[in-house]
Amino acid sequence: MRWRLLSIVVFGFLVGALGGAAALIITQSASGPQVKTSGKALIGGPFTLVDQTGKTVTDKDFRGRYMLVFFGFTHCPDVCPAELQIMSQALTDLGPKASEVVPVFISLDPERDTPAAVGAYVKNFGDKFVGLTGSPEAVAAAAKAYRVTFSKFEYKDNSGKSDYSIDHSTIAYLMDKNGEYIAHFSYGTPAAEIAETLRRYL
Ligand code: NI
């Protein structure tokens, strides 16, 4: 008898607990954050940075032109140079229409990437590139707007000297003449494919 009573009590408790949990889930989903379906992609937004000539530029300075945006850092050993080379090639493939597109490189390493350093770096990929850097806060804000993640990590080089590098997102973004997101290209997308996509939107 005692066991039976106990099992009824336990069963009753479980039903009550599950019911409570279910009610909690329903309440949470009802009051949880609503998914925004405005149709606008949540990539891109305002930024205020400094270009390779030392001039302050904002996203608004690019209105009327398309932006092909990539975030990285000039000390990057492989990913950044490879991707910037691809972007440069894509614009060459595009032909005369490329004049409507500004390739933009935004540094995630403001500590080392002065405007002059960024300028010297982007020159390696042609004379069309705008290289941007800024204060750590300004760079972080730009990265956040583009959903770009990055993290600095320390390491010791072959001679035992401490140095740092930066892990970062490797997506290139195509923004329209109003600064709105159109498309993105994952790392290593062939130049011809990028050119074809650009051609479709220009
Ligand atoms: Ni890189």
Side-chain angles (χ1 to χ4, degrees), residues 29 42-43 53 61 93 115 137:
S29 58
L42 298 171
I43 291 170
T53 68
D61 293 317
D93 289 357
E137 295 75 21

Side-chain angles (χ1 to χ4, degrees), residues 88-191:
S88 178
Q89 185 60 49
L91 293 178
T92 303
D93 289 357
L94 187 60
K97 280 243 166 195
S99 62
E100 293 177 43
V101 186
V102 191
V104 181
F105 172 76
I106 302 181
S107 173
L108 296 168
D109 187 11
E111 200 177 316
R112 290 186 293 207
D113 290 345
T114 59
V118 167
Y121 183 68
V122 295
K123 244 188 200 156
N124 295 316
F125 308 98
D127 52 11
K128 298 239 165 61
F129 272 88
V130 170
L132 301 177
T133 186
S135 68
E137 295 75 21
V139 162
K144 195 176 174 206
Y146 279 80
R147 301 291 187 269
V148 164
T149 57
F150 64 106
S151 62
K152 192 171 146 178
F153 65 93
E154 310 260 339
Y155 70 96
K156 289 206 192 304
D157 68 13
N158 292 336
S159 61
K161 204 175 138 247
S162 279
D163 203 348
Y164 70 87
S165 191
I166 297 169
D167 276 331
H168 62 93
S169 305
T170 56
I171 293 171
Y173 298 101
L174 176 62
M175 312 301 287
D176 73 10
K177 291 180 173 182
N178 298 313
E180 305 277 355
Y181 167 88
I182 303 179
H184 66 267
F185 306 99
S186 55
Y187 174 64
T189 301

